[in-house]
Amino acid sequence: MDKALHQKTLDLYPIGNCAVSALIDTSGRFVWGCAPRVDSDPVFSALLDDADIDGDDAKGVWDVQVERRAETRQGYLRNTPILRTEIADEDGARFEILDFAPRYQQFGRTFRPTAFIRLIRPIIGVARITLRLKPTAGWGAQVAEHTSGSNHIRYLCSDMTMRLSTDAPVSHILEERTFRLERPIAMYLGADEGFDAPIGATCERMLRETDNYWKQWVRGLAIPLDWQTAVIRAAITLKLCMHEETGAIVAALTTSIPEHADSGRNWDYRYCWLRDAYYVVQALNRLGAVDILENYLGYLRNIVDRAGGGHIQPLFGVGFEEVLTERFAPDLPGYRGMGPVRVGNQAYEHIQNDVYGQIVLSTVQAFFDERLLRPATVEDFEALEPVGERAFQLHDQPDASLWEFRGRANVHTYSSAMCWAACDRLGNAAEKLGLTDKAAFWNSRAAHVRKVIEDRAWNDELGRFAATFEGDELDASLLQLVDLRFHKPDDPRNVATLKAIEEGLRRGAYLLRYAIPDDFGSPQTAFNICTFWLIEALHLSGRSDEARALFEDMLSRRTGAGLLSEDIGFADGELWGNYPQTYSLVGLINCAVLLSRPWTSVR
């Protein structure tokens, strides 16, 4: 078969359980997944390999091949991340595959093992299938070595040994032997432990329990009237990006999907950026999903304690790792052969001063929200004050910006506005706690930072805000000044800045982060979160019809799974960048909430 027919795309379906995750392509193949954590060595690495995925050399894949395939249909079970793939052959035989990672309440705690389950069930007739399970080790360097028993296969992957327990004939899998699918098959790929229960019945029970867990979680969301299925899918996927054990929230589930073709802009996003996580909890708070906020606040408190009032880096590993040394994985050619494949992210060394604001902004709701199991206390406020001190000290100091420039530093307006927000929100928290003197202190500091921003970020000659102090650059993040409550949508300064951003950064429907060249040349794709910021700005400026039309356009660009990556092509709307991207899903949720009709319109 022509290899071009199997050109990789980002039309992928995530599954997971907040401990482990994987991406499944439109043919029902696992093509990406790391274990035991999202930032581990990939067990499934075919997404970044250039071997013919159907050929003998394929590796890093878990596949159910069918002779004379005629049709494939896919979709999630309603309100869950359980993927159903239905396949038919040319003779009309049909079967289904249900893929999921178990998650449910058991023995008073959440059961979320490092495990994937595939249930293969005949529907009509008898198809002839081949089961291929070829996990990798050494960052795609080789197929993992294996040993086997009568009902299991052990795979010696890099960061853990995985065991497949199954009621399918083990030799069929080891020999990749084609056979008749005459009965249901259960496959449980998890930790190297014996499976001491009837595998078929147990996996079916896990399916029912997992299905019920997710439906109950979705049932508790406060969703908008319009675009409900889109919002629910985005919310579920944001939850899958949480490493529940520590509370970390990763920016995406992948590494090194380029921002555009052959760009070299290939980054590892499987870590917790404090900025991205702030936006995630902000969006999910709007849906009432406080469980993720509470878990993330535990992660943040540990970060703040470790800093001891000093420097806080912009990102950490999901286990609080501070050193995320960036290196290449030479045995993986990259997405469509567009390397390099990077492991780690040098941005951990950056100075990004907005993080202090995002820590405070993520935390401040806990001082006001009576639903929380652990409301914030005076002691929590006192622990946050050193973060506010850092924000005040650094509000007029250069940094790499939220866009993580590697070759230059400036005093960035967005970073300074976040420092202002840190002081402002600490004033709010102090008032709530009855700390009158502290409230006056932090409100005074916020007023000082506000004046600095208004004096130095405003460009009198151009009549608008600039991305840097005393500069003239445009930056889409200036649209966030309204969201931060730095000024109102109808403020003439905001109106002028929005006009300039549209004229300078908009490319058709979509919005650039910035238009000036950076370390890798000029941007060739739009950044999806920036387009969602534009949608918000259009609506708040009274251009709601335009906002809704642009929002519908963005919804039409989603994958079959209902998700978005980081970037989008101007002309063709092709998705680029790591996937699924939390920023983009945050934008989808925020805009849906903002633009939806109220529930009272139909009640």
Side-chain angles (χ1 to χ4, degrees):
M1 187 173 290
D2 187 350
K3 183 178 176 181
L5 295 177
H6 289 291
Q7 186 181 48
K8 295 179 175 67
T9 74
L10 294 181
D11 201 0
L12 304 169
Y13 292 77
I15 64 169
N17 62 3
C18 305
V20 68
S21 58
L23 300 178
I24 298 171
D25 73 6
T26 53
S27 293
R29 298 176 288 223
F30 279 64
V31 294
W32 182 257
C34 303
R37 300 190 334 187
V38 65
D39 55 357
S40 298
D41 190 305
V43 174
F44 302 109
S45 56
L47 181 64
L48 302 183
D49 205 331
D50 63 355
D52 180 357
I53 201 166
D54 284 322
D56 294 338
D57 295 333
K59 59 183 184 293
V61 64
W62 189 0
D63 195 6
V64 181
Q65 295 184 325
V66 60
E67 283 190 347
R68 301 164 61 238
R69 181 191 297 246
E71 183 184 17
T72 304
R73 299 176 183 173
Q74 273 180 308
Y76 288 109
L77 300 191
R78 180 176 176 269
N79 293 354
T80 79
I82 301 169
L83 179 63
R84 180 180 183 271
T85 303
E86 182 178 321
I87 301 173
D89 67 16
E90 293 176 359
D91 295 325
R94 289 183 176 272
F95 64 95
E96 67 177 3
I97 309 168
L98 293 167
D99 290 308
F100 66 102
R103 179 181 174 86
Y104 48 88
Q105 296 300 307
Q106 180 172 271
F107 307 129
R109 58 185 183 270
T110 304
F111 178 66
R112 41 171 167 74
T114 304
F116 303 107
I117 293 177
R118 306 203 84 166
L119 297 175
I120 308 169
R121 299 163 165 173
I123 300 174
I124 299 172
V126 178
R128 289 175 53 81
I129 67 170
T130 306
L131 301 178
R132 296 192 309 160
L133 178 52
K134 304 175 78 168
T136 47
W139 271 92
Q142 68 271 335
V143 176
E145 295 180 8
H146 66 267
T147 63
S148 62
S150 57
N151 296 105
H152 75 268
I153 308 171
R154 297 172 65 249
Y155 296 95
L156 281 63
C157 300
S158 296
D159 292 335
M160 71 177 293
T161 296
M162 301 199 76
R163 177 187 291 240
L164 174 72
S165 299
T166 182
D167 53 10
V170 168
S171 65
H172 285 3
I173 301 168
L174 293 173
E175 300 297 328
E176 297 186 10
R177 182 183 299 137
T178 302
F179 65 98
R180 289 167 56 87
L181 180 65
E182 297 180 335
R183 60 174 177 81
I185 288 173
M187 306 175 79
Y188 182 99
L189 182 66
D192 187 20
E193 302 167 348
F195 199 98
D196 300 325
I199 187 163
T202 302
C203 288
E204 291 284 354
R205 177 184 62 79
M206 289 180 173
L207 172 66
R208 293 191 299 272
E209 297 272 10
T210 300
D211 180 79
N212 181 66
Y213 169 84
W214 286 103
K215 284 184 167 64
Q216 291 298 321
W217 184 77
V218 168
R219 186 168 174 261
L221 297 178
I223 60 173
L225 171 61
D226 297 321
W227 307 293
Q228 291 184 43
T229 57
V231 169
I232 288 169
R233 183 55 49 200
I236 288 172
T237 307
L238 288 179
K239 187 174 173 74
L240 295 184
C241 290
M242 177 179 66
H243 187 74
E244 190 169 52
E245 183 181 48
T246 61
I249 301 168
V250 300
L253 299 179
T254 59
T255 178
S256 303
I257 308 298
E259 293 182 14
H260 59 85
D262 298 310
S263 64
R265 300 173 187 265
N266 301 12
W267 314 115
D268 191 350
Y269 277 7
R270 303 168 305 144
Y271 307 109
C272 183
W273 271 259
L274 303 187
R275 176 188 313 110
D276 300 53
Y278 153 67
Y279 279 109
V280 170
V281 297
Q282 179 197 52
L284 290 176
N285 285 345
R286 287 172 173 153
L287 303 181
V290 294
D291 57 324
I292 296 175
L293 169 67
E294 287 191 296
N295 213 26
Y296 176 62
L297 290 182
Y299 183 83
L300 267 190
R301 286 191 293 269
N302 278 286
I303 295 294
V304 170
D305 280 355
R306 287 162 174 255
H311 167 70
I312 298 178
Q313 63 194 54
L315 70 152
F316 295 83
V318 298
F320 306 106
E321 293 82 5
E322 297 178 359
V323 178
L324 303 171
T325 305
E326 191 173 296
R327 62 182 178 86
F328 297 142
D331 294 296
L332 286 175
Y335 179 73
R336 300 187 189 172
M338 298 175 188
V341 171
R342 286 185 169 92
V343 183
N345 199 303
Q346 185 251 337
Y348 81 91
E349 299 177 340
H350 287 186
I351 303 298
Q352 295 178 26
N353 295 331
D354 56 311
V355 299
Y356 301 99
Q358 280 125 14
I359 290 170
V360 175
L361 286 166
S362 295
T363 306
V364 72
Q365 180 172 336
F367 292 97
F368 295 87
D369 196 334
E370 293 294 340
R371 296 173 298 171
L372 302 185
L373 297 175
R374 187 193 180 282
T377 63
V378 171
E379 291 75 18
D380 292 322
F381 176 82
E382 291 170 348
L384 270 185
E385 283 196 287
V387 178
E389 287 289 345
R390 290 286 293 179
F392 183 74
Q393 293 163 15
L394 298 169
H395 73 272
D396 59 355
Q397 298 302 303
D399 72 354
S401 98
L402 78 161
W403 307 128
E404 302 184 334
F405 294 122
R406 295 192 171 204
R408 65 175 183 264
N410 286 290
V411 182
H412 290 94
T413 304
Y414 174 87
S415 297
S416 296
M418 276 292 176
C419 291
W420 165 81
C423 299
D424 180 74
R425 303 316 194 262
L426 281 170
N428 292 348
E431 288 178 9
K432 178 65 168 63
L433 295 169
L435 305 174
T436 307
D437 291 344
K438 287 291 187 181
F441 174 79
W442 286 109
N443 289 336
S444 172
R445 289 204 154 179
H448 173 83
V449 178
R450 171 183 282 278
K451 186 174 189 314
V452 170
I453 295 170
E454 291 176 335
D455 290 346
R456 299 185 60 189
W458 178 257
N459 186 309
D460 260 331
E461 183 179 343
L462 296 174
R464 60 165 173 80
F465 279 105
T468 60
F469 282 13
E470 287 89 35
D472 59 4
E473 302 96 330
L474 279 171
D475 183 330
S477 66
L478 293 171
L479 296 175
Q480 287 291 281
L481 294 178
V482 171
D483 189 67
L484 289 174
R485 302 201 308 275
F486 186 83
H487 55 214
K488 294 181 179 179
D490 59 356
D491 187 311
R493 298 170 301 175
N494 179 62
V495 173
T497 303
L498 170 58
K499 182 175 184 292
I501 285 173
E502 280 202 86
E503 292 173 352
L505 299 183
R506 190 165 180 177
R507 301 292 184 271
Y510 312 120
L511 199 68
L512 293 171
R513 289 170 286 183
Y514 47 84
I516 58 176
D518 57 21
D519 316 296
F520 292 83
S522 297
Q524 300 297 314
T525 50
F527 204 66
N528 288 328
I529 185 63
C530 296
T531 301
F532 285 119
W533 288 347
L534 174 62
I535 292 167
E536 293 177 17
L538 292 174
H539 173 72
L540 294 172
S541 64
R543 296 160 62 186
S544 295
D545 289 344
E546 286 182 66
R548 291 178 72 92
L550 183 49
F551 183 57
E552 292 285 0
D553 181 86
M554 288 299 291
L555 290 178
S556 75
R557 303 302 179 181
R558 293 174 300 154
T559 63
L563 306 174
L564 289 164
S565 63
E566 181 181 47
D567 306 276
I568 194 166
F570 305 142
D572 58 8
E574 183 173 5
L575 296 177
W576 292 91
N578 283 306
Y579 175 89
Q581 177 77 3
T582 54
Y583 260 158
S584 301
L585 303 182
V586 161
L588 187 158
I589 290 172
N590 289 344
C591 288
V593 170
L594 190 66
L595 298 173
S596 175
R597 295 169 297 162
W599 280 96
T600 53
S601 68
V602 296
R603 284 176 177 159

